[in-house]
Amino acid sequence: MKATFQFPTRILFGQKVIEDLPDELKSLHGWSALVVTDKGLVKAGIVSRVVEVIKTAGMKAEVFDEVSANPTGEQVEAGALAFKAARADCIVGLGGGSSMDAAKAIQLRIHHHEPLRVYDDLLGGDCKITGSLPPLAAVPTTSGTGSEVSRSAVVTLRDVGRKVVIFSPRLMPHVAVCDPELTYGLPGRITAETGMDAFSHSLEALVSKGYHPMADGIALRGIRMVAKNLPIAVTEPKNAKARQEMMMASTMGAVAFQKGLGVIHSLAHALGAVVGVSHGLANALIMPHAIRFNAKAAPGPLADVAAALGVTGKQNGDSAAEAVEALLKRIGLIDGLAQAGVTEEHVPSIVEKAMEDGCHTQNPRPVTPQDMEAILRATM
Ligand SMILES: [Fe+2]
């Protein structure tokens, strides 16, 4: 048996650690930052707070706030131009997964000049990421994606006609600054959906194929933390402990999924691409059905999941799925995919795109197109 393990990200964690961001940038030889973010965070006042922190430390900061929910190649090019116009020497990715991913792609763009499609991981683009990259600090403002510790960026490229994953260990942020206070303003629904993304990362990592006991341990603890704290964070948005635990569970989920993901993420990616269903909601709704599908293939890990969710009777895939359904009810995610706009005519293309997605190759039970369709239909 051979395996490679890597847990390298420097993580600053806790209330008000955002105030330590300038020192982190300076230690990376950054004095002039481009803050990559979206307009929602500008409106919420979070961008001005972070810019003030940077400027108060005697540094320069310019804002690029053109990132959309699914960042595009055009936005990445515009961000790279903004970096040059500002004479910036470091980047702060501030926001959810979209802003952090866009920041990674902009970081790549500064010294890598071939068309972005050349860096597509599906085409072996990681080998082309060889030049230097400016320092990047990732500052999450949601608890779900974990992009602050992951090594990929997802960008929609018009000339390719799909979402492209750019993957390289070099894209990993130099530092993750995780301040739970930045999530206090998130509405309950977004807290619930993003929180279930964090849950799905830990769940899929735990049951996925492969040997990674360290990731398994992190994933199981992450599941316990979400089960306990997500319902509190949804109903009490300023509960410091719950927000703290959710932010940590989110980071842990993304550390754990270096082991692999599974069928839930393949379907969620396809649902996002075909119908625009939000990533966290798709993961949440698929989860109980995927757990039942995997029940016999991963009985040990799913018994652990049931225990982590507080099941005291028989601990197995079925009871884990029921416990997830109870959690979804508690956090108000009770709609089906039909309510999210998925119709009968979407089914073939969702199944096709989900089969093309690489995540399910790590699922503990092999997934056929018929299986994919059955899980999708159960979720509708
Ligand atoms: Fe995810």
Side-chain angles (χ1 to χ4, degrees):
M1 197 280 297
K2 272 187 178 174
T4 305
F5 307 126
Q6 211 170 351
F7 295 100
T9 313
R10 175 175 168 81
I11 301 169
L12 270 64
F13 188 88
Q15 271 81 17
K16 303 206 186 330
V17 288
I18 191 64
E19 290 166 12
D20 298 334
L21 173 65
D23 284 346
E24 291 296 314
L25 294 172
K26 286 176 191 171
S27 73
L28 295 163
H29 307 291
W31 288 94
S32 176
L34 181 74
V35 179
V36 176
T37 188
D38 64 64
K39 292 198 163 51
L41 286 171
V42 172
K43 229 188 234 170
I46 290 179
V47 174
S48 58
R49 174 157 179 234
V50 172
V51 165
E52 193 190 316
V53 165
I54 297 171
K55 287 187 172 169
T56 304
M59 295 176 59
K60 280 173 63 186
E62 292 285 339
V63 175
F64 176 75
D65 64 3
E66 302 292 329
V67 182
S68 62
N70 292 299
T72 64
E74 288 81 5
Q75 289 164 8
V76 173
E77 304 298 353
L81 287 177
F83 182 92
K84 282 171 193 154
R87 296 179 183 272
D89 55 18
C90 59
I91 298 175
V92 176
L94 173 68
S98 301
S99 289
M100 289 190 278
D101 279 14
K104 289 175 187 171
I106 291 168
Q107 176 202 28
L108 171 71
R109 212 72 196 113
I110 305 307
H111 300 300
H112 292 74
H113 302 298
E114 292 195 65
L116 273 175
R117 63 172 184 276
V118 170
Y119 305 102
D120 184 350
D121 189 48
L122 268 184
L123 308 175
D126 57 327
C127 301
K128 306 252 179 178
I129 303 177
T130 52
S132 66
L133 282 81
L136 169 65
V139 183
T141 60
T142 63
S143 294
T145 162
S147 191
E148 67 275 10
V149 292
S150 74
R151 52 205 81 179
S152 58
V154 182
V155 181
T156 303
L157 297 184
R158 212 188 326 190
D159 55 345
V160 183
R162 62 174 163 80
K163 284 187 174 182
V164 164
V165 178
I166 305 172
F167 175 93
S168 165
R170 310 188 71 206
L171 286 183
M172 201 151 21
H174 296 82
V175 61
V177 178
C178 303
D179 186 335
E181 285 189 2
L182 300 182
T183 65
Y184 286 8
L186 282 179
R189 176 77 185 198
I190 296 177
T191 301
E193 291 185 3
T194 50
M196 287 309 292
D197 187 26
F199 189 116
S200 68
H201 294 154
S202 285
L203 172 80
E204 292 215 282
L206 184 64
V207 303
S208 71
K209 294 193 293 194
Y211 177 77
H212 203 323
M214 288 189 279
D216 293 343
I218 291 169
L220 194 53
R221 178 68 184 260
I223 288 171
R224 278 196 212 110
M225 288 162 75
V226 173
K228 187 172 174 199
N229 293 284
L230 183 54
I232 303 171
V234 167
T235 51
E236 299 173 39
K238 291 205 162 71
N239 186 305
K241 182 77 193 300
R243 287 295 195 187
Q244 172 187 307
E245 295 295 275
M246 281 308 300
M247 181 157 270
M248 181 49 88
S250 164
T251 305
M252 287 164 69
V255 166
F257 81 61
Q258 64 173 276
K259 181 187 169 196
L261 287 167
V263 66
I264 297 175
H265 268 77
S266 284
L267 269 170
H269 290 154
L271 282 159
V274 177
V275 194
V277 182
S278 91
H279 181 67
L281 179 65
N283 283 326
L285 299 180
I286 296 158
M287 193 181 291
H289 309 289
I291 290 175
R292 290 191 178 101
F293 175 75
N294 284 328
K296 287 207 175 80
L302 287 173
D304 290 342
V305 172
L309 290 169
V311 174
T312 49
K314 217 165 191 209
Q315 294 167 342
N316 55 27
D318 285 338
S319 61
E322 280 168 27
V324 168
E325 282 164 343
L327 175 65
L328 293 178
K329 254 188 208 146
R330 281 184 74 193
I331 60 173
L333 299 184
I334 47 171
D335 27 348
L337 282 177
Q339 277 138 294
V342 182
T343 64
E344 187 58 38
E345 59 201 39
H346 292 127
V347 170
S349 46
I350 294 169
V351 170
E352 192 191 328
K353 280 214 160 34
M355 289 306 296
E356 283 168 11
D357 183 274
C359 291
H360 72 83
T361 60
Q362 294 302 308
N363 198 70
R365 177 176 164 188
V367 189
T368 66
Q370 292 74 24
D371 297 330
M372 200 67 92
E373 184 172 338
I375 298 169
L376 175 63
R377 286 190 184 281
T379 310
M380 290 170 78

